[in-house]
Amino acid sequence: MINSLSFRQSSFGNVQKIGSTQNGRIVYRVIDSKGEEAGRLTVPQNEVDTFESAYRDIMDTAPKIQKFALENSSEEDIKRRRNLSRAIVCTGGAFGAFIPLMLTKNLSPIKRILTTVAGIITGISGGFAASLAATAPPGTYKFAKASSTFSKLDIQPLEN
């Protein structure tokens, strides 16, 4: 079990564990970036560890993503990343076509075409994945995974 969330002021706001409800849900206080309470939410007891882990992942990665966005938001940086992305995807597609063509020299033309098309699709897919890894801010995958985790949890606002 995770030992609760430590309270530290953050420019992104914060969440602080403050107790539980009569029906066993854990109550968290939501603090905005100015240090003021913005509301309260509850999480079922069996989802507390998952909630706190996802929250920590978001708080760890958000500053890195923000820093990357601030440092790489010029038109030149965006154009450079876009060109790099296109080059990676095209290279993946080219390798995806070339490898099956070389390995299927002895097959019938139909099988060779189908294998090459499958290779192109695989190469482009791999190129997209490699492009995302090469051009995305650090921590993007971890942030997206934590956000997805939040959407699956039974998080409810606490009505006073």
Side-chain angles (χ1 to χ4, degrees), residues 23-80:
N23 61 357
R25 293 177 67 89
I26 304 302
V27 179
Y28 292 91
R29 180 172 55 159
V30 179
I31 310 295
D32 66 15
S33 60
K34 297 174 187 168
E36 299 174 13
E37 185 172 324
R40 294 179 180 201
L41 55 92
T42 65
V43 177
Q45 179 68 40
N46 62 336
E47 294 180 351
V48 166
D49 288 342
T50 306
F51 172 80
E52 291 183 5
S53 177
Y55 174 76
R56 278 195 182 94
D57 287 346
I58 285 182
M59 293 307 287
D60 289 343
T61 57
K64 296 173 189 172
I65 293 170
Q66 182 183 36
K67 179 181 177 190
F68 181 89
L70 291 173
E71 292 174 352
N72 299 288
S73 61
S74 72
E75 285 294 322
E76 184 178 302
D77 289 330
I78 293 169
K79 186 176 180 179
R80 183 182 48 78

Side-chain angles (χ1 to χ4, degrees), residues 8-159:
R8 61 179 183 196
Q9 191 58 30
S10 166
S11 62
F12 299 102
N14 211 335
V15 174
Q16 182 181 29
K17 186 176 183 178
I18 58 173
S20 62
T21 64
Q22 290 178 347
N23 61 357
R25 293 177 67 89
I26 304 302
V27 179
Y28 292 91
R29 180 172 55 159
V30 179
I31 310 295
D32 66 15
S33 60
K34 297 174 187 168
E36 299 174 13
E37 185 172 324
R40 294 179 180 201
L41 55 92
T42 65
V43 177
Q45 179 68 40
N46 62 336
E47 294 180 351
V48 166
D49 288 342
T50 306
F51 172 80
E52 291 183 5
S53 177
Y55 174 76
R56 278 195 182 94
D57 287 346
I58 285 182
M59 293 307 287
D60 289 343
T61 57
K64 296 173 189 172
I65 293 170
Q66 182 183 36
K67 179 181 177 190
F68 181 89
L70 291 173
E71 292 174 352
N72 299 288
S73 61
S74 72
E75 285 294 322
E76 184 178 302
D77 289 330
I78 293 169
K79 186 176 180 179
R80 183 182 48 78
R81 281 195 317 279
R82 186 180 305 129
N83 290 338
L84 175 63
S85 178
R86 287 179 184 154
I88 291 170
V89 172
C90 289
T91 302
F95 275 113
F98 180 73
I99 292 170
L101 277 175
M102 293 297 111
L103 297 176
T104 60
K105 289 180 181 179
N106 299 329
L107 294 180
S108 69
I110 297 295
K111 288 181 181 177
R112 199 167 182 206
I113 290 170
L114 292 176
T115 305
T116 302
V117 169
I120 291 170
I121 292 169
T122 303
I124 289 174
S125 298
F128 276 123
S131 169
L132 183 62
T135 60
T140 300
Y141 177 75
K142 193 174 183 181
F143 187 91
K145 186 176 177 185
S147 296
S148 175
T149 299
F150 275 142
S151 69
K152 295 174 187 168
L153 296 177
D154 181 22
I155 301 171
Q156 298 177 358
L158 181 65
E159 312 258 339

